[in-house]
């Protein structure tokens, strides 16, 4: 199973601050995703990224969110001005193609206070 | 209309029994179906995927897909206490580029 490493494992931030969540896939998978899971709720899709551009995004992924893969390895999710409701587990996932199985990283728990 | 629906449970079975988990989906054009296991506070772990109608077996796990009924299930044979977790059904539509739609999950408890 492909390995996906996420950092940090837990981040606490004040409301209004910017956070950057990082994902490092240890493989040559081509598709990257961010999902989030609010405590007690289902896993929700945020965005997919392929060939250095966003291929799809959900209604959750508004202007306060952005993604990039600046150096060809790290894949980052930036939340510009965090809100209390952004508190959740954020998961990075990878897949070889758009049609194959996706593997998840261990997640980053974001707590906005 | 919810995209993917699962019985939330909890489902409780004795050790050694068969656990049956069910999932229905709304988009008839869905093409790929996945079962993930999620322990409390952890990330989803892929355990099975199925693309074609019928059964697919992998060890103690069997995934079953019926596209006409828009139904996918997971059977766990010889259930073990270590199987106790939340099982997430995820569906990929034909029209989306890799996006997964998740159900809320079914909590399974296997008691010794």
């Amino acid at each position: 199973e492909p390995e996906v490493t996420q950092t940090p494992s837990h981040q606490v931030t004040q409301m209004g601050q910017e956070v950057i969540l990082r994902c490092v896939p240890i493989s040559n998978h081509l598709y990257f995703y961010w999902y989030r899971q609010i405590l007690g709720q289902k896993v929700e899709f945020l965005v997919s990224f392929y060939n250095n551009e966003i291929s799809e995004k959900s209604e959750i992924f508004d202007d306060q969110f952005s993604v990039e893969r600046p150096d060809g390895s790290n894949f980052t999710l930036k939340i510009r001005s965090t809100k209390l409701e952004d508190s959740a587990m954020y998961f990075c996932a990878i897949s070889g193609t758009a049609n194959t199985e996706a593997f998840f990283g261990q997640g980053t728990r974001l707590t906005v206070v | 209309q919810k995209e993917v629906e699962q019985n939330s449970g909890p489902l409780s079975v004795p050790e050694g029994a068969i656990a049956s988990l069910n999932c229905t989906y709304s988009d008839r054009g869905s093409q790929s179906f996945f079962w993930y296991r999620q322990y409390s506070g952890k990330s989803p772990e892929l355990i099975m995927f199925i693309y074609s109608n019928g059964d697919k077996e992998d060890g103690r796990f069997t995934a079953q897909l019926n596209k006409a009924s828009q139904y996918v299930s997971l059977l766990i044979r010889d259930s073990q206490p270590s199987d106790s977790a939340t099982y997430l059904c995820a569906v990929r539509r034909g029209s989306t580029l890799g996006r997964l739609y998740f159900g809320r999950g079914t909590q399974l408890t296997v008691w010794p």
Side-chain angles (χ1 to χ4, degrees):
Chain A
E1 182 174 310
E3 190 173 325
V4 183
T5 301
Q6 289 186 242
T7 58
S9 56
H10 189 190
Q11 173 133 15
V12 181
T13 188
Q14 287 198 326
M15 190 169 55
Q17 295 297 303
E18 175 183 286
V19 296
I20 297 177
L21 310 183
R22 291 184 169 82
C23 169
V24 181
I26 314 298
S27 66
N28 291 322
H29 285 62
L30 299 177
Y31 283 79
F32 303 87
Y33 312 88
W34 284 102
Y35 289 82
R36 79 172 186 190
Q37 187 176 32
I38 295 170
L39 186 64
Q41 298 190 21
K42 65 181 179 181
V43 176
E44 300 175 292
F45 170 82
L46 293 177
V47 66
S48 59
F49 191 84
Y50 168 71
N51 202 25
N52 287 323
E53 61 183 24
I54 291 174
S55 51
E56 188 180 3
K57 58 183 180 180
S58 72
E59 58 282 358
I60 301 170
F61 194 88
D62 60 22
D63 290 345
Q64 71 162 339
F65 291 93
S66 63
V67 290
E68 63 177 2
R69 198 171 178 221
D71 56 8
S73 60
N74 289 293
F75 177 50
T76 63
L77 174 70
K78 182 190 293 185
I79 309 175
R80 264 181 271 282
S81 178
T82 50
K83 307 184 184 78
L84 294 176
E85 54 265 36
D86 293 328
S87 296
M89 283 288 287
Y90 287 81
F91 297 111
C92 173
I94 59 173
S95 66
T97 72
N99 297 317
T100 53
E101 55 273 26
F103 299 95
F104 284 72
Q106 82 277 19
T108 293
R109 180 176 300 281
L110 177 64
T111 303
V112 182
V113 297
Chain B
Q1 186 178 12
K2 291 183 179 177
E3 304 282 353
V4 181
E5 293 203 53
Q6 299 180 249
N7 290 330
S8 60
L11 174 65
S12 182
V13 301
E15 184 174 356
I18 296 175
S20 177
L21 305 159
N22 305 317
C23 172
T24 58
Y25 58 94
S26 61
D27 185 348
R28 190 168 286 278
S30 298
Q31 295 185 345
S32 313
F33 308 86
F34 306 86
W35 283 99
Y36 288 85
R37 177 174 61 199
Q38 187 176 35
Y39 294 110
S40 182
K42 302 297 185 182
S43 63
E45 174 192 5
L46 181 69
I47 53 174
M48 288 289 290
F49 58 91
I50 186 165
Y51 301 146
S52 304
N53 273 331
D55 295 359
K56 179 181 179 183
E57 187 175 316
D58 184 2
R60 295 186 297 112
F61 300 97
T62 298
Q64 299 173 316
L65 174 62
N66 184 326
K67 289 187 177 180
S69 300
Q70 295 174 240
Y71 176 91
V72 58
S73 66
L74 179 70
L75 299 178
I76 307 175
R77 288 181 299 281
D78 189 23
S79 296
Q80 301 297 308
S82 57
D83 294 327
S84 298
T86 296
Y87 288 79
L88 310 178
C89 174
V91 174
R92 179 177 286 141
R93 292 175 165 177
S95 60
T96 58
L97 299 174
R99 172 178 182 170
L100 293 173
Y101 292 84
F102 281 85
R104 294 182 65 90
T106 298
Q107 186 179 348
L108 171 67
T109 300
V110 181
W111 45 276

